[in-house]
Amino acid sequence: MGSWIKDDGPNNNIVLSSRVRLARNLSNVPFPAMLTKESSSDVIEKIYDEEMRNGVFKEYKFYNMQDTGFVDRYALVERHLISPNLAAQNSIGAVLISNDEDVSIMLNEEDHIRIQAVLPGLQIKEAWNIASSIDDKIESKVDYAFDDRLGYLTSCPTNVGTGIRASVMIHLPGLNLSSNINKILQAVMQVGLTIRGFYGEGTEFIGNIFQISNQITLGRSEEETVDNLTGITEQILNKEKEARGLLFDNNRIMLEDKVWRAWGLMTNARSISGQESMKLLSEIRLGIDMGILKRIPVSVLNKIMVDTNNASLQKSAAKELNTPERDILRAEEIRKLLMQ
Amino acid sequence: MGSWIKDDGPNNNIVLSSRVRLARNLSNVPFPAMLTKESSSDVIEKIYDEEMRNGVFKEYKFYNMQDTGFVDRYALVERHLISPNLAAQNSIGAVLISNDEDVSIMLNEEDHIRIQAVLPGLQIKEAWNIASSIDDKIESKVDYAFDDRLGYLTSCPTNVGTGIRASVMIHLPGLNLSSNINKILQAVMQVGLTIRGFYGEGTEFIGNIFQISNQITLGRSEEETVDNLTGITEQILNKEKEARGLLFDNNRIMLEDKVWRAWGLMTNARSISGQESMKLLSEIRLGIDMGILKRIPVSVLNKIMVDTNNASLQKSAAKELNTPERDILRAEEIRKLLMQ
């Protein structure tokens, strides 16, 4: 389980995690969309050969998508170790996951190589350092598709250049409750950042969780990208703190009532949807941060967030479950986690 | 506190209480609507004189409405000891309440005398016996307005004859959840009974509680009235039991979820409206009856029902409270009662 799930990190009461992802491709090999099944195996073999297996990737687990079952693939998505995209295509993709689960390297997703490092709290620079050092190690072994003028070449033009996507997963219930969230999100978009939901591109905002990431990969260095996102995240962080403080001062009973009701429902419900549990979890996180509820380890809260989703539930039940069955098991798991 | 609030009674899991009320008037005295303040005092003095005070009413408390404050009057309404009508007119009315609070006798409400006896569970006949014996004692002292052909004369023609209104307060969450409640209520009305909400005439149905009473007071004896209502109540009771059984067999998780959520909210909310608390209380009562929740004394459940209403809350706080303040205090009292 990644350290972003089980450990504390700087400003973890608001910034759940920091992530850096680098898109890379092998030179003189067609992008994955154009690969045959055979040549896709060659790509994997080139990166994950005997030498790398016993060297750079010694502390990694390797999953070939075609040998990984449906539920297992989506359980990896729910832990944010692979993209929904990689899980959906099960013929040519693979992933390498470090034993500590902080690093995952997708192979033959949209690009040949996508290196991802995730850390708890606001640690974008630290995540960048980890991803960059792995990038260097892979680059010393294979030839990257690189253009002197453009930089790293990628499948999608939006990644050409640095190929970096730095992002934070940020929890903003205070701004939402005080109806300031749209103003903030608009300002964030105006400075060229992108906002996404909990599961990435195209997913909804649930549980007051937002993923904010850079859009620009051309004409701006990796360090600038990281510093820029860090600076803006700090600003949002302060706005959120301010909003929480104002709510506590001016609407304390409303806040306490909301938080305790969420606690009452989460510790008593016998059936709960994923959507509702994310909403209530958000209120519980807020309540802990405001000192209304007793402290609960961040690992427990994050386990509720990642381990009570559809695929993870089915994995733990070791069988397929329909929606009502999942809702019942989810409620059971949440009660166990919160009452332990 | 009346025994219907604090004690168990037959079929108490569905029939909360049984009540018999007798309307009586003094002969040769104008009905209350036509009384001057002075002659209204004469009525009270006639019924509650030195002899009665030390005899029949020795174990009673006497409250003159004009000497009873607003909050105290409505606290009596909330305990179902006087009508909203008597509480509203504060110049000529009075009430005698037995020390055990099972009997209350309103003076100068719509009629000169309204004798009420309430018991827990399905005990209409027993309530009738109590009311009737008090009626006899008063009649041995004063002259009732009585017509040989019509029977007892009353202010409103709908009470002329026996002057009896027998009623049960019945809790029907099963029939409501299984969407059979309207069918049942219509059938009840077709056999000449009246259905009212928790606080009597003109009040809404809240918390799945219905008051069912006879409409006819002419051409039918008191015993027939009591037997008829008892018989119909037993039929409704059986329908409700059946509905609860079917819910338990066919929708157990839905039922458990609903009950546990109600429990979670009632034991955690920091602010709760009277309406919401009645709704949740209904679900908790159902849960206890179905063995989903551990047993809670009926006195606790009924205290929540009668003692966390607006006037009772203000009485216990010993000051006027606005709506948000009442909602906060209500939540606090409910938590105390349920967690004790």
Side-chain angles (χ1 to χ4, degrees):
Chain A
M1 196 171 277
S3 64
W4 78 272
I5 298 175
K6 64 180 202 299
D7 298 332
D8 274 309
N11 292 299
N12 217 173
N13 59 335
I14 294 172
V15 183
L16 304 187
S17 67
S18 299
R19 185 178 79 111
V20 165
R21 179 274 277 157
L22 302 174
R24 300 290 184 257
N25 287 280
L26 304 183
S27 68
N28 300 316
V29 179
F31 288 136
M34 304 302 282
L35 284 181
T36 63
K37 205 164 174 343
E38 209 180 5
S39 51
S40 75
S41 295
D42 293 345
V43 168
I44 294 172
E45 180 54 30
K46 221 171 225 167
I47 300 159
Y48 191 56
D49 68 0
E50 192 68 29
E51 187 195 332
M52 294 291 269
R53 222 174 280 217
N54 297 315
V56 177
F57 297 132
K58 197 153 190 277
E59 304 292 316
Y60 282 67
K61 285 195 183 65
F62 176 81
Y63 300 89
N64 215 323
M65 284 304 112
Q66 63 187 345
D67 304 327
T68 308
F70 181 88
V71 165
D72 287 330
R73 276 181 276 133
Y74 281 92
L76 293 176
V77 173
E78 290 172 358
R79 289 194 172 192
H80 294 237
L81 289 166
I82 67 173
S83 64
N85 206 12
L86 190 79
Q89 56 101 315
N90 59 6
S91 55
I92 63 162
V95 65
L96 282 156
I97 298 172
S98 67
N99 285 343
D100 61 12
E101 294 195 1
D102 285 355
V103 178
S104 67
I105 302 161
M106 291 191 287
L107 303 176
N108 293 332
E109 203 244 21
E110 192 180 289
D111 296 297
H112 294 142
I113 304 170
R114 288 207 159 187
I115 303 162
Q116 170 186 282
V118 190
L119 291 175
L122 182 52
Q123 301 194 72
I124 312 171
K125 184 160 243 146
E126 291 76 0
W128 155 244
N129 288 337
I130 294 172
S132 176
S133 113
I134 293 158
D135 183 39
D136 292 344
K137 285 175 191 156
I138 300 175
E139 198 167 12
S140 72
K141 167 85 185 169
V142 300
D143 270 343
Y144 280 160
F146 187 85
D147 178 274
D148 282 340
R149 200 172 54 88
L150 290 172
Y152 294 103
L153 300 177
T154 57
S155 243
C156 177
T158 56
N159 292 311
V160 169
T162 53
I164 192 175
R165 176 133 296 148
S167 68
V168 289
M169 189 152 75
I170 191 162
H171 180 229
L172 305 176
L175 287 169
N176 197 1
L177 278 173
S178 61
S179 307
N180 284 317
I181 191 76
N182 288 329
K183 219 168 57 191
I184 297 287
L185 297 183
Q186 264 161 24
V188 166
M189 287 187 285
Q190 268 162 14
V191 296
L193 297 178
T194 300
I195 302 161
R196 290 173 177 155
F198 182 57
Y199 290 116
E201 203 158 358
T203 65
E204 267 181 282
F205 302 125
I206 55 169
N208 295 315
I209 291 174
F210 303 87
Q211 288 200 52
I212 298 174
S213 61
N214 67 298
Q215 210 161 24
I216 298 161
T217 51
L218 259 177
R220 187 179 280 179
S221 74
E222 290 88 342
E223 285 74 13
E224 280 173 314
T225 300
V226 164
D227 289 348
N228 180 44
L229 182 63
T230 303
I232 289 166
T233 303
E234 277 165 355
Q235 285 178 42
I236 302 172
L237 183 69
N238 288 330
K239 291 276 181 205
E240 172 65 18
K241 276 185 192 166
E242 202 180 300
R244 291 185 186 185
L246 284 172
L247 280 172
F248 195 74
D249 292 344
N250 303 334
N251 290 293
R252 182 144 170 194
I253 284 290
M254 179 278 277
L255 193 66
E256 288 184 350
D257 187 50
K258 194 175 266 295
V259 165
W260 279 108
R261 280 171 180 258
W263 177 259
L265 289 174
M266 286 284 257
T267 53
N268 283 285
R270 261 50 185 173
S271 168
I272 196 162
S273 72
Q275 188 112 0
E276 186 188 7
S277 84
M278 285 291 282
K279 178 188 162 288
L280 298 175
L281 183 63
S282 169
E283 290 162 359
I284 288 176
R285 273 191 205 274
L286 178 63
I288 293 169
D289 185 44
M290 308 306 301
I292 297 168
L293 294 177
K294 71 174 197 300
R295 211 142 172 71
I296 294 173
V298 67
S299 61
V300 170
L301 302 173
N302 285 340
K303 262 190 184 170
I304 292 174
M305 188 166 71
V306 299
D307 274 0
T308 66
N309 287 303
N310 294 344
S312 303
L313 286 175
Q314 296 184 80
K315 201 165 142 65
S316 90
K319 63 174 176 182
E320 261 191 62
L321 302 169
N322 60 27
T323 303
E325 289 168 340
R326 287 199 299 255
D327 288 352
I328 293 167
L329 185 57
R330 176 178 298 113
E332 209 173 297
E333 294 289 324
I334 290 172
R335 287 201 311 280
K336 256 191 242 159
L337 283 164
L338 288 180
M339 307 301 273
Q340 73 195 345
Chain B
M1 198 171 275
S3 64
W4 79 272
I5 299 176
K6 65 181 202 296
D7 298 332
D8 273 308
N11 293 299
N12 217 173
N13 59 336
I14 294 172
V15 183
L16 304 188
S17 67
S18 299
R19 186 178 79 111
V20 165
R21 179 274 277 159
L22 302 174
R24 299 290 184 257
N25 288 279
L26 303 183
S27 69
N28 299 316
V29 179
F31 288 137
M34 305 302 282
L35 284 182
T36 62
K37 204 162 176 340
E38 208 180 6
S39 50
S40 74
S41 295
D42 293 345
V43 169
I44 294 172
E45 179 56 27
K46 221 171 225 167
I47 300 158
Y48 191 56
D49 68 0
E50 191 69 29
E51 188 195 331
M52 295 291 268
R53 222 174 280 218
N54 297 315
V56 177
F57 297 131
K58 196 155 191 274
E59 305 292 315
Y60 281 67
K61 283 193 184 67
F62 177 80
Y63 300 88
N64 215 322
M65 284 303 113
Q66 63 187 345
D67 304 328
T68 309
F70 181 90
V71 165
D72 287 330
R73 275 181 275 134
Y74 281 91
L76 293 175
V77 173
E78 290 172 359
R79 288 194 171 193
H80 292 237
L81 289 166
I82 67 173
S83 65
N85 205 12
L86 191 77
Q89 56 100 314
N90 59 6
S91 55
I92 64 162
V95 66
L96 281 156
I97 298 171
S98 67
N99 285 343
D100 62 10
E101 293 195 1
D102 285 355
V103 178
S104 66
I105 302 160
M106 290 190 288
L107 304 176
N108 293 332
E109 202 245 19
E110 193 179 288
D111 296 296
H112 294 142
I113 303 170
R114 288 207 158 187
I115 303 162
Q116 169 187 283
V118 191
L119 290 175
L122 182 51
Q123 301 194 71
I124 312 172
K125 184 160 242 145
E126 291 77 0
W128 154 244
N129 289 336
I130 293 172
S132 176
S133 114
I134 292 158
D135 184 39
D136 292 344
K137 284 175 193 157
I138 299 174
E139 198 166 12
S140 72
K141 167 84 184 171
V142 300
D143 269 345
Y144 279 161
F146 186 84
D147 178 275
D148 282 342
R149 200 172 55 89
L150 291 172
Y152 293 103
L153 301 178
T154 57
S155 242
C156 177
T158 57
N159 292 311
V160 168
T162 53
I164 192 174
R165 175 134 295 148
S167 68
V168 289
M169 189 152 75
I170 191 162
H171 180 228
L172 305 174
L175 288 169
N176 196 2
L177 279 173
S178 62
S179 307
N180 284 317
I181 191 75
N182 287 329
K183 220 168 58 192
I184 297 287
L185 297 184
Q186 264 160 24
V188 166
M189 286 187 285
Q190 268 162 13
V191 295
L193 297 179
T194 300
I195 302 161
R196 291 175 177 153
F198 182 58
Y199 290 115
E201 201 158 357
T203 65
E204 267 182 281
F205 302 124
I206 55 169
N208 295 315
I209 291 174
F210 303 87
Q211 288 200 50
I212 298 174
S213 60
N214 67 298
Q215 210 161 22
I216 296 162
T217 52
L218 259 179
R220 186 179 281 178
S221 74
E222 289 89 341
E223 285 73 14
E224 281 173 312
T225 301
V226 164
D227 288 349
N228 181 44
L229 182 64
T230 303
I232 289 166
T233 302
E234 277 164 354
Q235 286 179 43
I236 302 172
L237 184 68
N238 288 329
K239 290 278 180 203
E240 171 66 19
K241 276 186 192 164
E242 203 181 301
R244 291 185 187 185
L246 284 172
L247 280 173
F248 195 74
D249 292 345
N250 303 334
N251 289 294
R252 182 146 170 193
I253 284 290
M254 179 278 278
L255 194 65
E256 289 183 349
D257 187 50
K258 195 176 267 295
V259 165
W260 280 107
R261 281 171 180 257
W263 177 259
L265 288 176
M266 285 284 257
T267 53
N268 284 285
R270 259 53 183 171
S271 168
I272 197 163
S273 71
Q275 188 112 2
E276 187 187 8
S277 84
M278 286 291 281
K279 177 188 164 287
L280 298 175
L281 183 63
S282 169
E283 291 162 358
I284 288 176
R285 273 190 205 274
L286 178 64
I288 292 169
D289 186 45
M290 307 306 300
I292 297 168
L293 294 178
K294 70 174 197 303
R295 210 141 173 73
I296 293 173
V298 68
S299 60
V300 170
L301 302 173
N302 286 340
K303 262 191 185 171
I304 292 175
M305 188 166 70
V306 299
D307 274 1
T308 67
N309 287 304
N310 293 345
S312 304
L313 286 175
Q314 296 185 80
K315 201 165 140 66
S316 89
K319 62 174 176 180
E320 262 192 61
L321 302 169
N322 60 27
T323 304
E325 288 168 340
R326 287 198 300 254
D327 289 352
I328 293 167
L329 185 57
R330 177 178 297 114
E332 209 174 297
E333 294 290 323
I334 290 171
R335 288 201 310 280
K336 256 190 243 160
L337 283 164
L338 288 179
M339 306 303 270
Q340 73 195 346

